[in-house]
Amino acid sequence: MAVVLCGGSSARIDSGRKMNERIRTIGVQFSLDEFSNDPDGAIHRQRSRILMDIEAAGEAVIELAAAQIDENGRLISWSRWRAGQQQMLHWDASSRRINRLPLPASPNVTAVLADAFGPTGDPVEHGYRKVDDHSYEIEEGLGVFRLSFPDDLDRRTFEAVDPVDGQVKSRIGAIRLGDGPVITPEVLEMMAAVPTDARTKFLRPGGG
């Protein structure tokens, strides 16, 4: 499964923000475990890591880049967006295509981070119900999402759970936030040249 980060579900930006508002870069890293069953019932785990750079002025996102890397260092997917664009560019290795995904609204920092690893603040205020001392759940669409240790980023996990059998389908953890970019030059180079339909399409990391 490729990760798509849109962050537009509840995003609002102040179109009249001050021109002198400081631009900052937020670096986000986390692990993604995905679980599947084979015919004899054995559970398999596939682990990848997500690297995300958010350039923002206040809450308004100016530019966003995210890359998903497997355990062998291979690029699984990437997403890119910049202010003024109505769609997010997304590529994943399974389809070998660059798609343009519509955004419901221009993303803000809070919404992007909530899409990645759950909301900040009191989960109950975001529609979650408390299931034990450390965990909260919410039903969205056909799935259930479980947020554990919401007040402790070092221990926080964000899981997608099958509502029928209760099996965890994916788990986000090992979350790290920083004040600088985390996408390395090597990953940017992989993002800049990706195979599409047996050809190679070159995209400059800062280009369209």
Side-chain angles (χ1 to χ4, degrees):
M1 180 186 77
V3 170
V4 182
L5 299 165
C6 290
S9 56
S10 60
R12 292 182 181 177
I13 63 173
D14 180 6
S15 59
R17 70 176 184 268
K18 296 178 181 179
M19 295 299 292
N20 61 356
E21 194 164 19
R22 184 175 67 89
I23 296 176
R24 61 195 170 116
T25 299
I26 304 167
V28 184
Q29 303 181 63
F30 54 87
S31 65
L32 171 64
D33 290 333
E34 297 173 280
F35 302 93
S36 60
N37 296 78
D38 61 20
D40 64 7
I43 299 176
H44 298 276
R45 176 187 64 82
Q46 178 181 339
R47 170 162 289 186
S48 61
R49 61 192 177 101
I50 311 299
L51 307 174
M52 178 166 50
D53 291 340
I54 306 169
E55 188 173 301
E59 267 288 289
V61 175
I62 298 171
E63 191 163 355
L64 169 68
Q68 182 181 9
I69 310 295
D70 71 12
E71 291 183 293
N72 297 312
R74 290 188 294 260
L75 183 66
I76 298 175
S77 69
W78 58 251
S79 300
R80 289 174 44 218
W81 177 86
R82 62 175 52 178
Q85 294 179 339
Q86 301 300 312
Q87 297 172 315
M88 173 176 284
L89 292 177
H90 178 73
W91 174 88
D92 70 77
S94 59
S95 68
R96 299 169 65 92
R97 295 174 53 191
I98 297 173
N99 295 310
R100 296 179 180 271
L101 307 179
L103 292 175
S106 296
N108 67 20
V109 173
T110 298
V112 170
L113 297 182
D115 275 357
F117 48 77
T120 57
D122 185 354
V124 174
E125 295 181 359
H126 296 274
Y128 286 71
R129 63 182 182 88
K130 191 170 185 176
V131 294
D132 59 37
D133 288 344
H134 305 294
S135 299
Y136 301 77
E137 290 185 351
I138 189 172
E139 294 185 21
E140 291 188 354
L142 299 177
V144 173
F145 294 92
R146 180 186 301 144
L147 177 62
S148 300
F149 298 100
D151 297 326
D152 186 346
L153 199 61
D154 290 335
R155 293 194 292 170
R156 172 187 281 235
T157 59
F158 190 44
E159 299 172 320
V161 181
D162 189 316
V164 176
D165 59 16
Q167 180 179 320
V168 175
K169 308 301 291 183
S170 66
R171 176 184 298 123
I172 285 170
I175 303 162
R176 297 290 182 269
L177 296 178
D179 56 1
V182 294
I183 299 179
T184 64
E186 292 77 15
V187 173
L188 283 174
E189 187 62 30
M190 287 191 289
M191 294 170 64
V194 294
T196 58
D197 299 328
R199 295 175 296 171
T200 299
K201 181 167 184 176
F202 293 93
L203 292 171
R204 297 273 48 88

